[in-house]
Amino acid sequence: MDFLKSAVASAISKGPAFGYAFGDRVDIDESIWTLYNGTKREDGSKCSIFSFEVNSNKSRLPLARNALRKLRTLRHPGVIKVLDTVETESYIYIATERVSPLNWQIKRKSLAEETLKWGLHNVAKTLKFINTDATSVHGCIRPASVFLSESGEWKLGGFEALSSMKEDDAMLPTYGSLIPDANRYMAPEITKGGWEVIKQNPTHAVDAYNYGTLIFEVFNGGFSGSDQLGQMKSIPPSMHQSYKRLLNPNPKARMSVGQFWDQGRRLGGFFQTPLIQVTDDIESLGLKADAERDELLGKLDEVADDFPADFFKMKVLPELLKSVEFGGGGAKVFGTVMQIGTKLSDEEYEAQITPVVVRLFANPDRAIRVCLLDNLPLMIDRLPQKIVNDKIFPQMVTGFSDVAPVVREQTVKAVLTVVPKLSDRIVNGELLRHLAKTSNDEQPGIRTNTTICLGKIARNLGANTRAKVLSAAFQRSLRDPFVHARNAALLALAATSDLFSEDDCATKLLPVMCPSLVDKEKSIRDQANKTVDIYIARIRKFSSTMPDTMLPSPSVSSASATAPRMGTPANDAAGWAGWAISSFTNKLTTATGDMITSSMSADQSSQPRSASVPPPIPTANKPPPPLASRSGMTLTKHSTIIPAIASPDTSTGFEDTEDFADDWGGFGDDDNSKNNGTNSNNNKSVDEDEDPWASPAPTSTTSFEDKGEPDFAGWLAAQSKQKAKNPLPKGLAKSSATKPAAAKMSRPTVGARANTEWPRAKPEKKTVVAPKKEVKKVETKAAEDEEEGWGDAW
């Protein structure tokens, strides 16, 4: 064996260039040829090489040269395909498509009956062409002359004795006796009269008889002599009558192979099998109508088990791909392609199906796009990641913005299949941008599927963007008017609860889920309860691991003399909000300092007054210096009494306890700003330790000069009109003229009074002495700061 290879290699090196390399030798029956598996040097593709050594078999050299010549000129689908030939004085090489001897399958009886019929049908069709169209005689029909291609088709070879009866120097009459094993397959007339009688009989006679012996051998697994031909037990009954006519001892009455083929092709004939019909029609699949195509595909499913697997790969699959890509085969044809693809190796899949899939994704036909997306789960594991990222996904994303809703929906669903093959950059960038668009789609089903998709690919998202993207997307879906979209959001939140931090669960997600607890749909309420329970259980588990308090220890608190006093829930047993009220009350009752005294008599202070009249300003026990001396301004006197802070009056609806219900959202409401502005204008400054709810003290009625200060008489008149329109107590009345700046809880200084909205009165020529009030500027400033800061903190 090694010697033979070395001899062949040395012969090639000395002869003309031959672009094929020899491989392993293939065992065949008696033949003038030696068969090798080979490869093409240029691309490594597979081939077979028939080698004839001249020096070792010179007597049969005419047969080898005849075969070389006929194979070069004879072209037919049923004939072995020749790739290249080379002839020298010492050897003849014929490189063909990769083939294997039929004898291997015949001896093992490994072929099904339908497959045997299909093979005999192909050989009969080829012989009909040789006998009728080429007017030639093959003369060597036997299993040794038939080969199986890579696709499993039966290909005819053995053209050593192929002769045209029109030629004077025909090879068969002269060299027929040199054919290996000729006596075993010799026709009866040749046995009696020799090879010369061929010219006296019909052209088809010899080949018809040999074809009959081929039928017997393929169904029985062997053939030893003509005496066995009458045993037809293994031959299909539908063939018996025609089979006998092929073996007729009279060559002139013998049925031709062409006639045998025609009888088998008739309605109900032995060649009318689904397998044969599929192979005949598969090449014209792209030209068939929809009904004919569906019928053919139905037959293809029926014979899938009988078909040679290689035939599906090499013949059926390429035709199906052509039909899908160019012939409008549609989803059904592509589904068959995917079924065949499961039987392919990774290398075969990448070579045959992957290039077509890439081209189909670039096809603008929406039907093809939907078909590809539906079958993506069947082929995603076979597609390389680089192909998916670089070629398939850039074409796939066009479906997110397609005008057809079905394409958008199928694209969203396909994300689940393709996301494992996408890079992190694409997933966290381009993919999320497209999903953000479909989450606002006009179709509620697409919005719902986008939410489901986000929930399922949540763990493929980057840790830095995952929580932010998911919380925003699910929050939007919870407000969706479509009930299934809200349900999908709740289900997704339940499935991804472990991806959020405990802080996000408590501060971001629970607040947006709670409205679903009172949803109008019961299914949403039920699911919301389940999801909220999951988050609350997680938060409770986390809170149990937190420290009891973050406040400093009592020893540290007592060491700081300036630390403010604050109430804590542990010190109050009145309820969950009792600490806030007690803290506010303690601030008022524990204030220290001198109470402001007034020269007003007790009778005046106890006189009933309207709730719209500002209460008198309390004065300190120690008379303060005149206001004019401190501020450089005087006020015009229009009343004998300066309004003071209003005290609670049960007759006007006030109560001793202040209600904070209207201010829960903050101190920026219109009512509070109006009240605060009024009180700040009427009270020039109040010590931090003064009690704003104390009874009013008498005030001085000393007059002072008018220096352009506000007109209190006009202001009182305006208040009276306002009271007529709004009979509510002053503290509850709403004002439409409240400025936004009045919402702050700060008291304007005396110098700022000129900028208020009070009506300015014409100056009168009365001299008014400023009341003597002692106000500490430092304490006033501290009170303002404390009050402002408290409001902001609330």
Side-chain angles (χ1 to χ4, degrees):
M1 180 79 179
D2 295 337
F3 172 76
L4 183 60
K5 286 185 179 181
S6 62
V8 171
S10 62
I12 293 176
S13 61
K14 297 178 181 177
F18 188 61
Y20 299 86
F22 284 78
D24 299 332
R25 180 177 175 176
V26 180
D27 294 330
I28 57 176
D29 288 344
E30 289 189 26
S31 175
I32 68 174
W33 301 97
T34 304
L35 181 61
Y36 295 91
N37 288 328
T39 55
K40 189 175 183 180
R41 299 180 186 274
E42 183 178 354
D43 56 7
S45 58
K46 298 178 180 180
C47 68
S48 292
I49 302 175
F50 292 86
S51 172
F52 180 81
E53 298 296 331
V54 176
N55 296 330
S56 62
N57 204 358
K58 286 185 179 181
S59 60
R60 294 175 175 174
L61 179 61
L63 295 176
R65 287 178 174 172
N66 183 66
L68 176 64
R69 184 172 65 254
K70 296 301 182 180
L71 284 173
R72 282 175 175 173
T73 58
L74 188 64
R75 298 292 180 181
H76 189 271
V79 176
I80 294 176
K81 182 180 180 180
V82 177
L83 303 177
D84 195 7
T85 61
V86 61
E87 180 181 4
T88 66
E89 295 179 357
S90 57
Y91 60 85
I92 296 176
Y93 298 145
I94 303 176
T96 68
E97 59 180 317
R98 176 63 67 87
V99 293
S100 60
L102 177 63
N103 277 335
W104 292 0
Q105 309 295 336
I106 297 300
K107 292 178 180 179
R108 293 196 296 265
K109 294 184 178 182
S110 59
L111 300 178
E113 180 179 319
E114 292 299 319
T115 305
L116 293 175
K117 288 182 180 180
W118 173 56
L120 290 171
H121 170 269
N122 292 342
V123 174
K125 185 167 59 175
T126 306
L127 277 176
K128 178 184 179 182
F129 166 77
I130 292 175
N131 296 151
T132 305
D133 299 338
T135 61
S136 299
V137 179
H138 187 278
C140 193
I141 299 298
R142 61 197 66 179
S145 299
V146 181
F147 298 87
L148 298 177
S149 67
E150 285 188 294
S151 62
E153 296 174 281
W154 291 21
K155 296 296 184 77
L156 189 60
F159 291 106
E160 293 84 12
L162 182 65
S163 304
S164 173
M165 293 297 100
K166 296 179 181 181
E167 298 176 354
D168 296 335
D169 56 346
M171 290 294 298
L172 189 59
T174 306
Y175 297 96
S177 59
L178 298 177
I179 299 174
D181 208 9
N183 294 332
R184 187 155 57 105
Y185 296 97
M186 192 177 291
E189 67 272 16
I190 297 177
T191 303
K192 294 179 181 180
W195 291 96
E196 292 295 332
V197 300
I198 294 177
K199 295 181 179 180
Q200 302 171 9
N201 294 323
T203 304
H204 64 267
V206 175
D207 290 339
Y209 183 85
N210 288 340
Y211 184 76
T213 61
L214 177 66
I215 292 175
F216 178 88
E217 189 164 2
V218 297
F219 283 110
N220 289 275
F223 171 71
S224 59
S226 58
D227 56 340
Q228 292 181 327
L229 297 176
Q231 302 174 5
M232 298 181 293
K233 182 174 67 173
S234 299
I235 299 174
S238 58
M239 284 187 177
H240 286 178
Q241 190 66 30
S242 300
Y243 168 74
K244 290 178 181 180
R245 295 181 63 185
L246 286 173
L247 299 175
N248 193 322
N250 184 3
K252 296 185 182 298
R254 191 174 297 161
M255 177 187 285
S256 68
V257 177
Q259 291 172 337
F260 181 83
W261 184 82
D262 290 338
Q263 283 192 355
R265 296 286 297 176
R266 291 176 183 174
L267 184 64
F270 46 83
F271 282 155
Q272 282 292 316
T273 65
L275 186 60
I276 294 174
Q277 292 176 359
V278 167
T279 55
D280 288 346
D281 297 340
I282 195 67
E283 295 182 358
S284 59
L285 179 63
L287 303 177
K288 293 184 178 297
D290 293 342
E292 295 176 340
R293 185 188 300 115
D294 293 343
E295 181 182 359
L296 177 59
L297 293 176
K299 295 178 181 177
L300 188 62
D301 294 337
E302 295 177 4
V303 301
D305 296 333
D306 297 330
F307 251 39
D310 293 333
F311 184 79
F312 269 101
K313 299 177 187 177
M314 304 299 296
K315 286 294 182 180
V316 177
L317 182 59
E319 295 299 329
L320 293 176
L321 290 174
K322 289 179 184 177
S323 176
V324 173
E325 191 171 3
F326 307 110
K332 191 168 184 179
V333 176
F334 195 80
T336 306
V337 169
M338 291 294 100
Q339 293 178 0
I340 299 175
T342 57
K343 303 178 182 179
L344 301 179
S345 63
D346 292 341
E347 293 77 11
E348 293 170 340
Y349 196 97
E350 186 174 358
Q352 292 186 262
I353 296 183
T354 300
V356 178
V357 169
V358 173
R359 291 196 297 269
L360 288 177
F361 265 104
N363 194 318
D365 190 350
R366 290 190 177 92
I368 291 180
R369 173 60 60 85
V370 173
C371 176
L372 288 170
L373 296 175
D374 287 340
N375 290 277
L376 194 59
L378 298 177
M379 56 184 171
I380 189 63
D381 293 334
R382 297 291 193 94
L383 298 175
Q385 185 174 5
K386 183 175 178 58
I387 295 293
V388 175
N389 281 275
D390 297 344
K391 296 182 179 180
I392 293 181
F393 186 76
Q395 300 294 336
M396 176 180 165
V397 296
T398 59
F400 286 110
S401 56
D402 197 277
V403 295
V406 64
V407 177
R408 299 198 303 272
E409 184 171 5
Q410 291 302 116
T411 305
V412 172
K413 292 180 179 179
V415 170
L416 300 179
T417 303
V418 77
V419 72
K421 292 278 184 151
L422 298 179
S423 64
D424 293 340
R425 179 183 59 83
I426 293 178
V427 171
N428 295 284
E430 187 174 1
L431 178 60
L432 287 181
R433 287 197 297 270
H434 289 292
L435 291 179
K437 295 179 181 178
T438 56
S439 65
N440 287 323
D441 197 275
E442 60 183 8
Q443 297 292 327
I446 297 177
R447 298 196 303 267
T448 304
N449 287 332
T450 302
T451 302
I452 296 173
C453 176
L454 283 172
K456 290 183 177 292
I457 69 171
R459 285 165 175 80
N460 296 96
L461 302 179
N464 296 331
T465 59
R466 179 190 300 156
K468 182 178 179 181
V469 170
L470 295 181
S471 60
F474 296 156
Q475 181 177 355
R476 176 184 297 169
S477 298
L478 287 173
R479 299 192 302 266
D480 198 296
F482 190 51
V483 60
H484 298 292
R486 301 198 300 274
N487 188 60
L490 292 170
L491 290 172
L493 282 167
T496 59
S497 61
D498 59 317
L499 301 181
F500 301 100
S501 66
E502 287 76 5
D503 289 342
D504 287 344
C505 292
T507 61
K508 294 182 180 179
L509 300 178
L510 273 179
V512 300
M513 284 189 288
C514 287
S516 300
L517 296 172
V518 292
D519 195 275
K520 295 180 179 179
E521 298 292 335
K522 185 179 184 301
S523 60
I524 301 300
R525 296 195 300 270
D526 294 342
Q527 184 58 46
N529 276 286
K530 296 177 183 178
T531 306
V532 169
D533 289 344
I534 293 174
Y535 278 77
I536 288 187
R538 186 180 174 203
I539 293 171
R540 284 174 176 170
K541 182 178 179 181
F542 174 74
S543 62
S544 64
T545 63
M546 298 176 65
D548 294 341
T549 181
M550 296 299 293
L551 296 176
S553 60
S555 59
V556 178
S557 302
S558 59
S560 177
T562 58
R565 181 187 182 279
M566 297 181 64
T568 59
N571 297 332
D572 295 300
W576 67 272
W579 65 272
I581 303 302
S582 64
S583 177
F584 176 75
T585 307
N586 290 339
K587 177 185 175 186
L588 300 179
T589 57
T590 59
T592 60
D594 297 331
M595 297 296 294
I596 301 175
T597 60
S598 175
S599 58
M600 180 183 292
S601 64
D603 296 338
Q604 286 180 319
S605 61
S606 60
Q607 290 179 358
R609 55 178 178 80
S610 174
S612 61
V613 179
I617 300 176
T619 57
N621 292 332
K622 185 177 179 180
L627 182 62
S629 62
R630 291 188 288 114
S631 60
M633 294 185 292
T634 58
L635 299 177
T636 304
K637 180 179 179 182
H638 292 276
S639 175
T640 59
I641 300 176
I642 298 179
I645 297 177
S647 61
D649 189 353
T650 56
S651 62
T652 57
F654 275 91
E655 297 180 0
D656 293 340
T657 304
E658 186 173 358
D659 186 7
F660 285 86
D662 294 336
D663 300 328
W664 185 257
F667 283 90
D669 297 338
D670 291 342
D671 294 346
N672 295 331
S673 61
K674 178 65 180 176
N675 295 338
N676 294 337
T678 304
N679 291 337
S680 63
N681 288 331
N682 289 324
N683 295 277
K684 290 174 286 184
S685 61
V686 181
D687 243 0
E688 181 181 3
D689 296 330
E690 292 175 353
D691 188 354
W693 304 108
S695 299
T699 58
S700 173
T701 58
T702 309
S703 61
F704 51 91
E705 294 183 358
D706 183 13
K707 297 295 183 178
E709 289 296 321
D711 185 1
F712 277 89
W715 179 79
L716 288 174
Q719 292 298 322
S720 300
K721 294 180 180 180
Q722 181 66 22
K723 178 181 177 182
K725 296 180 180 179
N726 187 6
L728 292 176
K730 182 180 179 181
L732 301 179
K734 294 181 180 262
S735 174
S736 60
T738 305
K739 284 190 174 182
K744 295 184 178 180
M745 295 187 61
S746 61
R747 294 173 176 157
T749 60
V750 176
R753 292 185 181 179
N755 298 324
T756 62
E757 297 182 358
W758 292 347
R760 301 180 66 87
K762 296 181 180 181
E764 297 183 5
K765 295 182 180 181
K766 293 183 179 180
T767 302
V768 180
V769 179
K772 296 182 180 181
K773 294 183 181 181
E774 181 180 0
V775 180
K776 299 179 181 180
K777 294 184 178 181
V778 177
E779 293 178 354
T780 302
K781 182 63 178 177
E784 293 176 0
D785 293 343
E786 180 184 354
E787 191 169 357
E788 286 191 3
W790 176 70
D792 294 338
W794 183 265

